[in-house]
Amino acid sequence: MKNFTLGLNIFLVAAVAVLFYLHFSSPSANNVSSVGTKAVPTGNFRIAYFETDSIQNQFDYFKDIVGELQAKDQANAKVLGDMKSTFTTKYQELQKSASALSQAELANKQQELMQMEKAFQGKEKMMSDEMEDEKFRKMQDVKKKIEDYLKEYNKDKGYAFILSSSTDLMYLKDSSYNITPDVVKGLNALYKKKK
């Protein structure tokens, strides 16, 4: 009986080893065949990419958004510059007339300057936060437009993935899979329709 159990265990270990070998050595297990050191996908697995900087430079909606954000940033800078100029003028006036003012008048003027500085800092933070929020929302809108277009574009193309190319993320790319011109052309056509 002891020999039978030992024989059965050896047989089972050998059967598991054979199954393990057959499972992991089968070429159809992961749907990729090896040629030398290069993995070649089998079937209809296709990937395409578009150049992010080309979208930023050629997509009219993106350029309009960037222009709007720059205009708002300049307007904010003007408001803050005017506030800072007013503060500087008041500060210089106080320095010139400080010797002629009473202690109470001087304290009032200093308090006024401190309130102006606090108002400036509050306005600067509020404008900065608003700009960041608006920039985020607008860039999300641009991203959504690109995603929506790519879904429509890919209906008859059959790509498994469409990636955005960035120099710090992609190390090798075959330009025959570059769909940037199609994406830019399609996005601009949609944007012009909605204008």
Side-chain angles (χ1 to χ4, degrees):
M1 183 71 166
K2 196 175 188 182
N3 288 338
F4 175 74
T5 308
L6 180 62
L8 183 62
N9 283 338
I10 291 173
F11 173 76
L12 290 175
V13 168
V16 168
V18 168
L19 289 173
F20 186 79
Y21 172 78
L22 291 174
H23 176 72
F24 288 106
S25 68
S26 173
S28 63
N30 58 6
N31 204 24
V32 174
S33 63
S34 286
V35 178
T37 60
K38 183 178 176 185
V40 179
T42 60
N44 291 332
F45 185 80
R46 297 176 46 196
I47 296 177
Y49 71 92
F50 62 90
E51 300 287 349
T52 305
D53 59 345
S54 294
I55 299 296
Q56 292 171 349
N57 294 329
Q58 297 172 21
F59 181 24
D60 294 334
Y61 180 65
F62 184 85
K63 292 190 292 188
D64 289 349
I65 293 296
V66 169
E68 289 172 19
L69 291 172
Q70 286 175 341
K72 184 169 183 176
D73 194 39
Q74 289 172 351
N76 287 349
K78 183 178 179 349
V79 168
L80 292 173
D82 291 346
M83 288 178 76
K84 189 149 189 122
S85 177
T86 302
F87 174 81
T88 303
T89 302
K90 292 254 185 196
Y91 179 76
Q92 289 171 347
E93 288 173 2
L94 179 62
Q95 282 185 325
K96 288 178 186 174
S97 63
S99 58
L101 298 174
S102 69
Q103 192 71 6
E105 291 174 325
L106 184 61
N108 284 340
K109 295 282 186 186
Q110 288 174 337
Q111 183 67 27
E112 183 183 334
L113 284 174
M114 285 175 31
Q115 288 176 347
M116 285 179 74
E117 185 176 26
K118 195 179 235 181
F120 172 80
Q121 290 170 347
K123 184 82 166 175
E124 183 178 42
K125 180 171 179 5
M126 181 194 72
M127 287 179 154
S128 175
D129 291 348
E130 283 177 359
M131 263 313 271
E132 286 301 314
D133 184 51
E134 186 172 353
K135 182 178 179 182
F136 177 77
R137 281 186 290 109
K138 297 226 181 220
M139 290 302 120
Q140 287 299 320
D141 188 46
V142 168
K143 183 177 185 245
K144 175 101 172 79
K145 286 186 183 328
I146 293 170
E147 287 173 350
D148 290 346
Y149 173 74
L150 289 175
K151 285 177 189 172
E152 188 65 32
Y153 174 84
N154 197 40
K155 282 183 180 176
D156 63 339
K157 302 294 183 191
Y159 293 112
F161 291 96
I162 297 177
L163 307 171
S164 169
S165 173
S166 179
T167 55
D168 55 341
L169 294 176
M170 291 186 111
Y171 297 100
L172 174 69
K173 53 190 175 188
D174 183 344
S175 62
S176 64
Y177 299 104
N178 184 356
I179 61 169
T180 305
D182 291 346
V183 174
V184 169
K185 183 179 175 184
L187 285 169
N188 283 332
L190 282 176
Y191 179 56
K192 286 176 183 165
K193 281 183 187 177
K194 293 182 181 182
K195 264 187 158 180

